């Protein structure tokens, strides 16, 4: 089979590497495991060059694909471009994190090379965390490059694609501003600067539609010949017969070396979670088939800090049933605990998890196996189908957007479910495991708006999360969200259930080597700009329906504690909405307690969508309060919106402009201008998802 041939090639490559290790390794004083991938520290970046030109030269590459990524999608697109460039056009591609290079020598990249930028826009038109420095550099007023060419970037050929969301004001501003800046300095754009729209739900199709003409333009510019696409694995897999899953050097889900050694220490961040005890957890809804969790996470054993309005990231694990389905689909069930080492077969590729490890640990802790699948990946897997019929079906799915939508998207199918349905249950044993590492994205932490106040409890973070569950037409089992159902299981465990299986889902809840036992959850904190005014006497208007109320619970508790400390606080008016007072009214009692302390300075305005004959939403209530809202804004009130980005946040924005226009007797355009200026001045802040 193809797997056998591949294994032999890979094995040969690794044997060569091993021979090199035995001859040179000793001389260099290299110790320990020759196959282990380097996840030594939290970041493991020591000793790497930050010089792009040097990196391209030493690795023999002619195409570098930079990504600015927050949730992993841009990173995933970057690696897909790299793979396609290599397999279709023989480009020597490499993918690079923008954070890991300097930019003052962008002008020294020769014009027979191409630089691609895949850039997500985050929040209010901001760069992603890893792209901040790059963005400030290239769009800077007095940017200066090393070579002194005129214009400075006249040798630079670039390609650009942006990931954005049209429900935000600054749609795709990253790719737009970066393209503008590069062109201003004389760089040559190849093809259009593409824009994907998450708001319209067309990101994947926008990407696919953009890339074909881009490849054409690049082919012409660089004189590339298209060849029959051949799959070449990026990773080599070696079975380690001498190790078992219990050997101390084997990773069974630990995120890095410190965790493996049992000595995790800070800084805790997106590369290194803190395994935090859950101090308290309970259900917030009083209705049978929907759940919303309140969970208190204790960070006192760490050096983590937070401020009211920040986000906490939860690192989930996949449910056992989906792990089983995935392993079974690829014929790996019997080998699930087999220890393997994974090595990048080319120098610029990174193994996305630490090894040696097991198939089970990779699938459970490191792969987003439940997520939607890209059409491109389906097309790639056609070559490894178990029979001709399945291959034809995969090719059709990969090539026909409408067919794919109707067969896959509508039913919320994940990769294993699609393949099983295409092959009518026959396993896909010819798929090289490397293709799965390349094609399935890394399991991402999920963010939650912290719902506690750091003034009240600096070392205890609370989460308010609604459990994702959807009934899907044509499917007998509902769709379950990864992180929230894992949190639900943790909640049940924390409340005394020894083996929780919410909705029939089971989790490795005690974590790798039982280190999460005693009910722990891996987390880190992400600082946000969503903040109370520094002057507590300023009035605040809070719009937070559903779990959008999370950060406002923190805001209100903060003000209650300020008053208890003898401070004067301004008016707080909170608009909360949900379906029914008796079912999903969050923190009902707490608002009454806040009222006792804040008195007339606190007002809760409620909107129930299913309690009466008419659906009432927060934006309706806001409109009813036009006069008061306008007066508060004239007193420089801060305006905050949290929750649903797709509809609510946009409508609230529109309603606010209407209020200003009516109350102040000014034209709509003028009122919209004022709202824009409020946003620019941070007087209007959003925390939406
Ligand atoms: P996932 O498994 O990630 O699924 C999420 C959605 O993706 C599904 O509903 C579905 O629409 C789609 N999807 C997933 N798999 C498939 C598939 N195979 N096919 C088709 N569609 C699929 N949430 C809160 O409850 N409270 C908060 O305070 C909160 N704050 C947030 C703050 C920020 C800054 C952000 C970015 C998000 C916040 N969220 C919050 C949302 C939260 O991060 C998660 O997205 C949410 O909890 C769902 O996670 P999950 O892993 O359970 O669901």
């Amino acid at each position: 089979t193809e797997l056998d041939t591949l294994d032999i090639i890979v094995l040969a490559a690794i044997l060569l590497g091993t021979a090199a290790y035995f001859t040179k390794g000793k001389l260099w004083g290299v110790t320990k495991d020759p196959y282990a991938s380097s996840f030594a520290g939290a970041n493991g970046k020591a000793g790497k060059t930050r010089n792009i030109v040097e990196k391209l030269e030493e690795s023999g590459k002619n195409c570098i694909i930079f990504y600015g990524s927050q949730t992993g999608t841009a990173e995933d697109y970057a690696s897909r471009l790299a793979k396609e460039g290599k397999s279709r056009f023989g480009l020597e591609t490499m993918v690079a994190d923008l954070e890991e290079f300097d930019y003052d020598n962008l002008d020294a990249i020769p014009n027979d090379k191409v630089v691609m930028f895949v850039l997500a826009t985050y929040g209010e038109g901001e760069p992603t965390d890893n792209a901040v420095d790059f963005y400030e550099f290239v769009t800077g007023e007095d940017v200066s490059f090393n070579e002194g060419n005129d214009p400075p970037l006249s040798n630079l050929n670039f390609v650009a694609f942006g990931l954005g969301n049209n429900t935000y004001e600054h749609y795709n501003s990253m790719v737009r501003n970066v393209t503008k800046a590069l062109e201003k300095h004389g760089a040559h754009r190849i093809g259009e600067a593409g824009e994907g729209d998450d708001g319209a739900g067309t990101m994947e199709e926008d990407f696919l539609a953009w890339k074909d003409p881009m490849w054409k333009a690049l082919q012409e510019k660089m004189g590339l010949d298209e060849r029959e696409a051949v799959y070449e694995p990026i990773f080599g897999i070696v079975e380690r017969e001498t190790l078992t899953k219990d050997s101390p050097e084997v990773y069974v889900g630990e995120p890095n070396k410190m965790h493996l050694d049992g000595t995790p220490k800070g800084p805790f961040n997106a590369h290194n979670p803190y395994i935090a005890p859950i101090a308290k957890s309970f259900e917030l809804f009083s209705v049978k088939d929907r759940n919303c969790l309140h969970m208190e996470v204790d960070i006192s054993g760490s050096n983590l800090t937070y401020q009211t309005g920040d986000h906490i990231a939860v690192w989930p694990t996949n449910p056992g049933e989906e792990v089983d389905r995935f392993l079974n689909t690829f014929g790996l069930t019997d080998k699930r605990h087999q220890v393997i080492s994974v090595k990048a077969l080319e120098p610029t590729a990174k193994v996305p998890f630490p090894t040696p490890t097991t198939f089970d640990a990779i699938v459970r802790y490191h792969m987003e196996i439940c997520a939607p699948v890209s059409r491109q990946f389906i097309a790639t897997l056609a070559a490894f189908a178990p029979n001709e019929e399945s291959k034809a079906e995969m090719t059709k799915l990969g090539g026909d957007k409408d067919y794919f939508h109707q067969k896959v998207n509508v039913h919320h199918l994940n990769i294993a479910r699609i393949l099983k349905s295409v092959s009518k249950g026959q396993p896909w044993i010819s798929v090289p495991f490397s293709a799965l590492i390349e094609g399935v994205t890394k399991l991402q932490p999920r963010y939650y708006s912290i719902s506690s106040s750091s003034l009240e409890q600096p070392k205890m973070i609370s989460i308010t999360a609604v459990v994702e569950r959807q009934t899907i037409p044509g499917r007998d089992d509902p769709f379950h969200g990864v992180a929230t159902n894992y949190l639900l299981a943790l909640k049940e465990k924390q409340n005394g259930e020894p083996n929780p299986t919410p909705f029939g889902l089971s989790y490795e809840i005690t974590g790798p080597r039982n280190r999460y036992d005693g009910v722990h959850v891996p987390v880190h904190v992400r600082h946000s700009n969503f903040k109370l005014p520094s002057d507590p006497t300023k009035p605040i208007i809070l719009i937070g329906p559903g779990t959008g109320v999370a950060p406002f619970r923190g805001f209100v508790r903060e003000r209650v504690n300020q008053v208890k400390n003898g401070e004067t606080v301004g008016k707080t008016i909170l608009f909360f909405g949900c379906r029914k007072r008796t079912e999903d009214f969050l923190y009902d009692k707490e608002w009454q307690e806040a009222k006792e302390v804040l008195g007339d300075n606190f007002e809760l305005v409620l909107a129930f969508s299913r309690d009466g004959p008419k659906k009432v939403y927060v934006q309706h209530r806001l409109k009813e309060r036009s006069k008061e809202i306008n007066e508060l804004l004239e007193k420089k009130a801060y305006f905050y919106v949290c929750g649903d980005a797709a509809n609510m946040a946009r409508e609230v924005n529109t309603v606010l402009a209407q209020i200003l226009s009516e109350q102040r007797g000014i034209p709509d355009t003028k009122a919209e201008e004022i709202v824009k200026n409020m946003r620019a001045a941070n007087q209007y802040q959003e925390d939406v998802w």
Side-chain angles (χ1 to χ4, degrees), residues 370-371 412 446-449 464-466 468 470 479 482-484 689:
C370 296
H412 275 56
R446 270 50 168 187
Y447 290 104
Y448 295 91
S449 303
T464 307
V466 72
E468 261 311 306
Q470 294 168 33
F479 167 85
V482 175
T484 48
W689 58 84

Side-chain angles (χ1 to χ4, degrees), residues 453 455-456 556-566:
S453 149
L455 177 65
E456 180 182 32
V556 170
R557 296 189 76 96
E558 181 105 349
R559 288 203 151 182
V560 164
N561 277 272
Q562 285 170 330
V563 168
K564 285 183 179 166
N565 292 345

